[in-house]
Amino acid sequence: MGTVHVLDHPLIQHKLTHIRDKNTGTKDFRELVNEIAMLMAFEITRNLPLQETTIETPVQEAKANVLAGKKIGLIPILRAGLGMVDGMVRLIPAAKVGHVGLYRDPETLEPVEYYIKLPSDISERELIVLDPMLATGGSAADAIHSLKKRGAKQIRLVCIVAAPEGVERIKKEHPDVDIYLAALDEGLDDKAYIVPGLGDAGDRLFGTK
Ligand code: URA
């Protein structure tokens, strides 16, 4: 069963409080989302494999560790997931970035991919799916299905704020996917906004309110 990790580092929590604040404007919101994503990248890469190498320090030869070169793919879900990419890439510069955009057909209720572009080797990569808000979990669950359909084998989901409903849905549909959050909120309101949440993350990131 996928595990839920709430990354409650004080810096993450401090920045989260600022993005929750309705008086935080687009510029600061965007910067803070990226900073939170960068701090989350630091936490979720804790277990990356290392390999030993030999270097010369100015003093003597020394054995030292370098990253073993695990392949990572960042997959922002359009559009709000884009707000987390730069922060993640700052810490994981070799990551490839794929994009997934989908909506639910209002009649069939089936997910429709309106955009999908992925690294060609996704089955060899550890994929980190990005979406700042995990509300009902519908988009994230559908995006993960799309990735699995194309061969993805190792997937983690990183969101900033989640509702328990979204977490339950991912656990049910994708029990192999670990979820990383900055906060697990109370629930959803009647418009499927996360409560207390931070409003519409896409609108706040892109100034489209
Ligand atoms: N998407 C958002 O951007 N905010 C919510 O509260 C729920 C979904």
Side-chain angles (χ1 to χ4, degrees):
M1 180 56 86
T3 315
V4 181
H5 307 260
V6 179
L7 306 176
D8 57 359
H9 188 290
L11 291 175
I12 295 179
Q13 297 305 307
H14 178 84
K15 291 173 193 297
L16 176 60
T17 299
H18 286 291
I19 60 169
R20 285 190 189 279
D21 188 334
K22 68 176 185 184
N23 295 314
T24 299
T26 299
K27 174 181 177 289
D28 289 340
F29 189 90
R30 201 179 277 153
E31 285 174 8
L32 287 160
V33 166
N34 267 311
E35 288 169 10
I36 292 170
M38 186 172 71
L39 293 165
M40 294 183 87
F42 182 72
E43 296 268 17
I44 65 175
T45 49
R46 206 169 264 290
N47 298 323
L48 282 184
L50 292 169
Q51 67 190 30
E52 202 175 70
T53 185
T54 306
I55 52 159
E56 295 265 346
T57 77
V59 180
Q60 65 169 49
E61 191 178 281
K63 298 223 179 292
N65 288 322
V66 288
L67 289 170
K70 189 173 177 64
K71 291 175 164 184
I72 293 185
L74 301 175
I75 315 289
I77 301 178
L78 302 178
R79 97 191 130 134
L82 293 175
M84 298 173 74
V85 173
D86 287 354
M88 288 262 160
V89 165
R90 285 184 77 172
L91 285 201
I92 321 172
K96 298 256 167 96
V97 182
H99 296 85
V100 182
L102 18 79
Y103 66 90
R104 285 252 157 176
D105 183 306
E107 274 163 27
T108 64
L109 300 183
E110 286 299 313
V112 180
E113 289 165 1
Y114 65 85
Y115 187 80
I116 184 150
K117 187 84 181 171
L118 301 170
S120 56
D121 54 356
I122 57 163
S123 60
E124 292 157 35
R125 288 185 181 268
E126 168 157 352
L127 300 184
I128 301 175
V129 175
L130 305 173
D131 194 349
M133 308 303 277
L134 183 64
T136 63
S139 321
D142 293 344
I144 294 169
H145 282 301
S146 290
L147 296 173
K148 287 182 174 173
K149 204 167 67 187
R150 289 172 172 78
K153 297 196 173 67
Q154 256 191 301
I155 302 176
R156 296 197 276 172
L157 174 63
V158 180
C159 305
I160 296 180
V161 180
E165 293 88 333
V167 169
E168 284 315 307
R169 177 147 180 189
I170 299 298
K171 280 166 98 175
K172 188 159 165 249
E173 290 191 33
H174 299 290
D176 54 318
V177 171
D178 282 352
I179 305 171
Y180 298 81
L181 309 170
L184 182 57
D185 276 11
E186 288 160 24
L188 298 174
D189 69 9
D190 56 4
K191 293 192 179 107
Y193 276 97
I194 299 177
V195 179
L198 49 76
D200 187 305
D203 279 347
R204 296 195 64 190
L205 275 166
F206 296 108
T208 47
K209 220 158 158 196

